[in-house]
Amino acid sequence: MAEMIKLLSGNEALALGAYHAGVEVAAAYPGTPSTEILESIARFDDIYAEWSTNEKVAMEVALGASYAGVRALVSMKHVGLNVASDPFIAASTTGVGAGMVVVTADDPGMHSSQNEQDSRHYARLAKVPVLEPGDSQEAYELMAHAFDISEKFDTPVLVRLTTRLSHSKSVVKTDRERVVPDRTVGFQRDVAKRVMVPAYARLRHPAVEERLLKLATFAETMPLNQVLWGDRGLGVISSSVAYQYAREVLPRVSFLKLGMVYPLPENLIRYFAVQVDRLVVIEELDPFLEESIRAMGISVMGKEFIPRVGELNPDIIEDGLRRIGLLNEAVAPPGLKITPGLPKRPPLLCPGCPHAGFFFVISRLGKRSRTPKSRGKTAGETGLVITGDIGCYTLGAYPPLNAMDTCACMGASIGQALGMAKAGTSQRVVAVIGDSTFLHSGITPLVDAVYNGGNMTVVILDNGTTAMTGHQHHPGTGVSAQGKEARAVKLEDIVRGVGVDDVRVVSAFNIRDIRNALRSSLDSPGLSVIIVRGPCAVRAPKQARPRVINAEKCNQCQLCLLIGCPAIRREGERIYIDPASCVGDACGLCEQVCPQQAIAPQSGVAVPA
Amino acid sequence: MKKFDLLVTGVGGQGVILASNIIGEVALAAGYDVKKTDTLGMAQRGGSVVSHVRLGRGVYSPLIKAGEVDIMLAFEKLEAARWSHYLHPGAVAVVNNYAQFPLSVNLGDETYPGDDEIVNILKRSTKRIYLIDATSRVEALGNLRTLNVFLLGCASVFLPLKIRVWQDIISQRVPPGVQKLNITAFNRGRKEMRRVYLRQSATEHGAGVVDTEDVRGGSRA
C-alpha cells in the first residue's frame, strides 16, 4: 500500500488504526466526543459494526466477539464507561479470547457532558492496562499495540481519549494495510475461565494480579513510553494532549512521555527522575500519575501548579510554571482577557425543533415562562416537577422555556420521577426523556414504575434519531449503523407491552393535541405515557412557506418568543421571523401560539435552498 | 516556513467547521504540519463556535495561546469581539459585518453591542481590522451557504497558499452540484478582500502592511 498522508481527527485515526489492526466487530453507543469512532469504522463494510442500545450492551457484544475469536472494539464517552463498568470489570476477570480494546473519551472542560471524571481511575478498579495517545498519528499507531497487548496478556485494554484528542485533526501518515490475524473463529469452551461462579472467579483473581505484574514489567520497555532528553534542569512526565501543551511551553527541557499510563514503568521513572534536577508531572484532571510516582518515594510536583479542574491549555500551563518559578525567561505578556459583559450564546433548540412545542405547552401550564412585558409580576405556583434526561431536549431547561428541573445521567428521569412520587411530593411529577435515551436506559425504570405503581407522567420526545450526537440510528429507526435495513422497535409497543394502559401519541407540531394530552394525564392518577412525535428539524427536508408576522395585527405581546425559536427575532419593538431560518410548513408552532392570528404562511415564496 | 495561527469563529450553522477543515487541508497539501481543533457546544445550531487552525513546520499544541493568533476569520461580529483577546498586536481580523442576535438579546435579557463598541474591543488587540459585508454579498450571489467559502476567499489573501489548491480542496469538500457556485464565492471573496484592503490602506496610515504579492493574489508556497 502506498503511503497515505491525511488530516484526521483522533477518532478517525483511531478507527483506521483499529481497522488496520484487524478488528472484525465494533460496537458503541453514541456519546460526544466518542461518536465518530464507530461512525468511521462502520464505513468499512468488511467488518461488523453496530450501534448498541447502550454502552453495557456494546461492551458485552465486544466481549462475546472476543470470546468467539475475533478482534473486537467497543467505544463510548467517559460516562458510558460508568454504564458499562459491570461487563468491563467482568471482562478483566475472565480475560479475553482474541484482542479486545475498550475506548473511552473523557471530556475535560465538560464541552458536552454532565461531569468531568478522569476515567484512568478505572484502570486500578478493573486492573487493566491503559494507553493514551497524544495526537491522531499516535491514536492510529497505538491501536496495533493495544490489540497485541490484549492478546499477549489476556486482558481487555483501555484506550483513553479526551475531547481535545478526539476532535482535533492532525496529520496522519499510514503505510500499513489491514492485517487480520489468522485464527479459527469459534468459541472454545472453558468453564473455569468463562463461567464466573464464585469457585471459578476465585481462581481468576490471582491470575489478574499476576497479569498486572507482568504488564508493569512490559511497560518498562514498551515503545509508547519514551524519554526525550533536553535540558536536564527540568524533567516533565506527561501523557495525552497535556504533553503537547507542555512541549509547546517548554520546548527545551527533558520529557518522559507516557503512552501507557497504567501500570507504570517504575524503573524507567526512577531512571528519568535521578537525571533531572527538578521533576514535575503535567496531566489533565486528577493527579493519577503524580500520586503513583510520589508513592514510589520520588519527589515530584504537579497539582500544586496545574489545576485539577477543567481542560488544560498552553496558557494555563505557562501560568502555573511561572507561579512556581520554573518559567522566568519570558515575562508574562500583559495578556488581554475576554471582554466581560458580552451577550452569551449558548446552544439552542433549532428552528423547527420538535421538542419546542411540548416545552412551550408544559412551560405555560406550569407557569414557568412569562413574556418580557409580564415580568416583575409574582411567579405562579408551578404545580409541576419536571425530571429531565440527556439529549438536545435538556436545552429545555434554559430560558425562555425553563421546563426542566433535573438532569443527572442517561435514563434517570423516570426513576427520579418515581422516587419523587413515592416520597409524597404534592406536585405532579413529569419525566421527560428522548427516544434514544428511552431505549438506552428508560425501559427498565418504566417497568419499575408499572410494577411499583407510580403516579406520574412520562413524556417520550420521539424525534426519530439520536440528535444531539449527530443523528445516529437507534433501534427505533429501522436502519443499522452500517446503513442496512433493520427491524424497527416501536416505542408505543414497548410501553404498552410492559403494562402501561394510558398511552397517547401526539404530533410534536400540534399545540392543541399536546396540551389536551398533557392536561388529561396530569389530571388522572396513575401512570401515563405521552409520546410526542415529530422528526428532528435538522434531518427533515426543509419545507416551503416560511411564516411571516403581520405587523398590523401584531400587538407585540411577545408570546411567540417564548417558544424559544431562533428564527423568531426582535428588533426594538418589532418582532419578525427570519425567512432563511424558518422551516415553514414543517413546523407552524408560532402560528398556533399567536393570540392575534398575526402569523401566517408567506404564500407563493419559495425558501432558498 | 512561517507559522500561521488562525482562529475561525462564528455561530453554529454558518459553516465554520468546514471552513477551518478546508484551511487545514490546503495547508497540508502545501507541506505544512497542521493541527486544528474545534470548540463547539452541545447542539447542532445556534451556539458560539470557534476553531483553532495551526500551520507550521512542526506543531505541538492544537490550541493556540491567547495573544498569538495571526489571522482571525469571524463569521459574525459579536463572536469576533468575544475572541479578540486571542489576537496579537499585528494580527489581521477579517470580520463579517453581520449580527446574529443571541436568544437572550431577542428576549430582551441582554443587549447586543453597537458597531463602535465591537470595533473598539477589536482595536484593543489590533489595528488591522477589515469589516467585510460578506453575508449581503453572498446573498446577492444567490446562496447563503457559500458564506464560509466566500470568507475563505477573504482569508486566502493573507496566506501563502496556492489558489489552485484552495479551489481543488473546496471542490472536493462542498456537495456536488454547488462546486461552481462555491468557486465563484471564493473568487469573489478574494476580490472583495483586496478591494477593502486597498481602500483601507489608502485611507488609514499604519494599518499594517500585508505582503503586496499576497494582496495581488500571488503565492510563495
Side-chain angles (χ1 to χ4, degrees):
Chain A
M1 178 184 157
E3 190 184 69
M4 182 203 81
I5 300 179
K6 266 189 165 176
L7 204 54
L8 296 180
S9 71
N11 284 346
E12 292 165 338
L14 190 141
L16 186 64
Y19 179 72
H20 283 174
V23 72
E24 293 187 74
V25 169
Y29 180 81
T32 311
S34 70
T35 311
E36 300 83 4
I37 298 169
L38 193 101
E39 283 183 327
S40 303
I41 215 158
R43 291 191 191 111
F44 299 109
D45 52 14
D46 52 344
I47 69 162
Y48 172 79
E50 72 162 47
W51 289 124
S52 308
T53 40
N54 63 34
E55 294 87 352
K56 178 180 187 296
V57 177
M59 185 76 73
E60 288 153 353
V61 167
L63 183 58
S66 160
Y67 281 172
V70 305
R71 286 189 163 186
L73 176 80
V74 54
S75 55
M76 62 204 66
K77 70 182 294 176
H78 59 312
V79 286
L81 188 54
N82 302 345
V83 175
S85 57
D86 201 356
F88 178 53
I89 292 167
S92 168
T93 309
T94 67
V96 300
M100 172 173 171
V101 177
V102 179
V103 183
T104 189
D106 285 2
D107 190 14
M110 291 180 274
H111 298 279
S112 188
S113 303
Q114 70 269 36
N115 80 7
E116 198 171 38
Q117 75 188 33
D118 188 333
S119 296
R120 294 178 297 177
H121 293 297
Y122 271 107
R124 287 204 182 94
L125 181 65
K127 300 174 192 283
V128 299
V130 181
L131 308 183
E132 285 192 302
D135 60 19
S136 298
Q137 180 72 46
E138 291 180 18
Y140 169 75
E141 288 171 6
L142 164 152
M143 286 312 281
H145 290 285
F147 280 106
D148 289 347
I149 292 168
S150 174
E151 286 170 6
K152 186 172 175 193
F153 294 93
D154 189 17
T155 177
V157 172
L158 184 63
V159 173
R160 185 224 187 199
L161 298 172
T162 64
T163 301
R164 196 54 63 195
L165 291 164
S166 285
H167 286 174
S168 291
K169 290 191 177 230
S170 60
V171 182
V172 177
K173 291 181 191 173
T174 64
D175 48 11
R176 286 193 281 127
E177 282 186 67
R178 173 168 165 84
V179 179
V180 182
D182 184 26
R183 59 167 70 84
T184 322
V185 177
F187 177 70
Q188 304 293 314
R189 191 158 186 268
D190 184 351
V191 174
K193 194 162 178 294
R194 294 282 179 254
V195 183
M196 288 301 101
V197 293
Y200 295 139
R202 279 182 209 116
L203 301 177
R204 289 300 303 161
H205 189 184
V208 168
E209 298 298 338
E210 194 185 331
R211 184 179 75 200
L212 266 187
L213 294 176
K214 286 181 182 160
L215 280 161
T217 306
F218 170 79
E220 300 286 357
T221 53
M222 78 97 65
L224 299 178
N225 294 333
Q226 291 174 301
V227 175
L228 302 139
W229 289 119
D231 180 342
R232 300 194 185 199
L234 178 64
V236 180
I237 301 179
S238 191
S239 70
S240 186
V241 74
Y243 161 78
Q244 308 288 356
Y245 303 147
R247 196 78 200 266
E248 182 87 27
V249 175
L250 298 163
R252 282 178 291 277
V253 307
S254 296
F255 277 86
L256 171 55
K257 179 181 183 300
L258 296 172
M260 181 166 169
V261 295
Y262 191 83
L264 283 174
E266 186 168 341
N267 292 332
L268 182 63
I269 290 169
R270 287 187 190 286
Y271 162 79
F272 182 74
V274 297
Q275 301 201 48
V276 295
D277 298 338
R278 282 187 79 175
L279 184 68
V280 297
V281 173
I282 296 180
E283 60 188 319
E284 215 163 34
L285 298 182
D286 294 341
F288 181 81
L289 302 174
E290 182 190 341
E291 284 176 353
S292 296
I293 292 166
R294 194 166 289 134
M296 295 169 190
I298 297 169
S299 175
V300 63
M301 283 182 86
K303 291 300 166 186
E304 294 91 336
F305 69 102
I306 300 291
R308 61 172 79 204
V309 174
E311 185 179 22
L312 293 182
N313 63 39
D315 293 306
I316 292 171
I317 291 172
E318 208 171 72
D319 285 353
L321 287 165
R322 201 171 275 124
R323 235 181 16 252
I324 58 164
L326 283 175
L327 202 71
N328 37 27
E329 76 260 33
V331 179
L336 287 170
K337 292 279 178 250
I338 190 160
T339 308
L342 293 176
K344 287 170 285 293
R345 199 187 296 273
L348 302 169
L349 296 178
C350 303
C353 176
H355 304 326
F358 163 74
F359 281 126
F360 175 83
V361 169
I362 198 164
S363 182
R364 298 301 290 169
L365 280 179
K367 300 189 173 58
R368 284 158 181 261
S369 65
R370 276 169 298 152
T371 58
K373 291 191 171 173
S374 65
R375 260 172 226 178
K377 294 179 188 167
T378 352
E381 169 57 47
T382 69
L384 291 176
V385 181
I386 307 169
T387 58
D389 229 298
I390 309 265
C392 287
Y393 50 91
T394 315
L395 297 170
Y398 289 124
L401 298 162
N402 305 312
M404 197 161 280
D405 303 326
T406 68
C407 168
C409 61
M410 291 289 284
S413 59
I414 300 176
Q416 286 180 337
L418 180 62
M420 287 188 192
K422 291 297 180 189
T425 176
S426 58
Q427 295 140 307
R428 175 77 177 188
V429 191
V430 180
V432 178
I433 187 168
D435 49 338
S436 192
T437 309
F438 177 72
L439 292 165
H440 175 285
S441 49
I443 300 171
T444 42
L446 185 66
V447 173
D448 197 307
V450 170
Y451 168 54
N452 289 306
N455 285 320
M456 54 196 260
T457 301
V458 175
V459 178
I460 305 175
L461 299 176
D462 179 13
N463 61 1
T465 186
T466 317
M468 190 163 75
T469 47
H471 304 104
Q472 291 73 33
H473 285 288
H474 63 59
T477 67
V479 182
S480 80
Q482 293 184 298
K484 297 186 176 75
E485 200 180 321
R487 173 151 182 175
V489 171
K490 276 200 179 136
L491 298 183
E492 46 270 52
D493 290 354
I494 294 175
V495 172
R496 289 196 182 99
V498 302
V500 180
D501 296 323
D502 184 3
V503 183
R504 291 156 225 255
V505 182
V506 293
S507 161
F509 299 104
N510 189 321
I511 295 277
R512 183 179 297 150
D513 286 359
I514 297 171
R515 191 184 288 126
N516 288 343
L518 197 55
R519 275 210 176 118
S520 146
S521 167
L522 297 180
D523 290 344
S524 47
L527 173 66
S528 55
V529 172
I530 304 169
I531 298 171
V532 181
R533 183 166 286 153
C536 174
V538 177
R539 288 177 78 234
K542 201 161 172 175
Q543 290 182 34
R545 302 202 304 163
R547 291 333 190 224
V548 284
I549 298 178
N550 182 333
E552 284 173 13
K553 286 188 183 174
C554 174
N555 67 351
Q556 283 96 36
C557 75
Q558 307 193 3
L559 193 60
C560 56
L561 285 173
L562 298 187
I563 301 168
C565 174
I568 307 176
R569 298 178 185 180
R570 198 169 65 121
E571 212 172 73
E573 285 301 292
R574 186 175 83 99
I575 321 267
Y576 70 99
I577 297 172
D578 173 37
S581 314
C582 177
V583 304
D585 289 348
C587 171
L589 287 176
C590 55
E591 191 179 346
Q592 299 167 52
V593 159
C594 180
Q596 304 297 317
Q597 281 92 44
I599 303 178
Q602 181 179 353
S603 48
V605 179
V607 185
Chain B
M1 187 178 268
K2 195 169 172 259
K3 73 99 183 170
F4 284 95
D5 287 332
L6 296 97
L7 201 103
V8 189
T9 184
V11 179
Q14 284 190 305
V16 169
I17 309 280
L18 179 60
S20 58
N21 281 344
I22 289 172
I23 298 170
E25 293 196 10
V26 174
L28 175 65
Y32 282 87
D33 187 22
V34 178
K35 278 194 176 157
K36 91 129 235 182
T37 189
D38 311 314
T39 296
L40 63 164
M42 318 193 291
Q44 297 287 317
R45 299 270 163 97
S48 177
V49 179
V50 61
S51 285
H52 295 218
V53 190
R54 308 198 64 201
L55 324 175
R57 193 180 292 279
V59 181
Y60 289 112
S61 168
L63 288 167
I64 309 168
K65 286 202 282 189
E68 296 207 346
V69 163
D70 301 297
I71 300 171
M72 172 199 263
L73 184 60
F75 287 40
E76 202 271 350
K77 285 190 275 193
L78 171 59
E79 297 310 311
R82 195 187 307 284
W83 299 105
S84 61
H85 60 293
Y86 267 81
L87 304 181
H88 67 65
V92 168
V94 177
V95 180
N96 181 15
N97 191 10
Y98 168 76
Q100 185 170 325
F101 287 0
L103 192 61
S104 59
V105 172
N106 277 331
L107 293 171
D109 294 337
E110 291 186 289
T111 314
Y112 196 91
D115 281 3
D116 286 353
E117 197 183 338
I118 286 173
V119 170
N120 283 336
I121 291 169
L122 285 163
K123 272 189 180 162
R124 273 182 234 152
S125 298
T126 181
K127 287 181 180 153
R128 300 174 66 188
I129 304 158
Y130 302 102
L131 283 170
I132 309 278
D133 290 317
T135 297
S136 50
R137 301 272 167 200
V138 165
E139 267 169 346
L141 279 176
N143 191 333
L144 204 51
R145 290 202 184 165
T146 59
L147 175 73
N148 54 357
V149 173
F150 182 94
L151 285 166
L152 282 178
C154 298
S156 73
V157 170
F158 300 98
L159 286 164
L161 302 168
K162 288 196 173 83
I163 307 303
R164 171 63 57 199
V165 183
W166 279 106
Q167 293 173 340
D168 285 351
I169 304 274
I170 288 166
S171 299
Q172 290 164 28
R173 286 288 165 259
V174 300
V178 291
Q179 279 135 334
K180 226 175 178 175
L181 195 66
N182 275 284
I183 297 302
T184 306
F186 177 79
N187 294 336
R188 292 287 176 84
R190 282 184 67 79
K191 207 171 151 190
E192 180 67 10
M193 186 65 241
R194 285 200 293 269
R195 198 181 65 77
V196 171
Y197 174 79
L198 292 171
R199 190 188 61 201
Q200 230 160 290
S201 316
T203 53
E204 289 173 27
H205 279 287
V209 180
V210 179
D211 190 323
T212 48
E213 197 185 14
D214 287 346
V215 174
R216 284 198 307 270
S219 170
R220 291 169 297 176

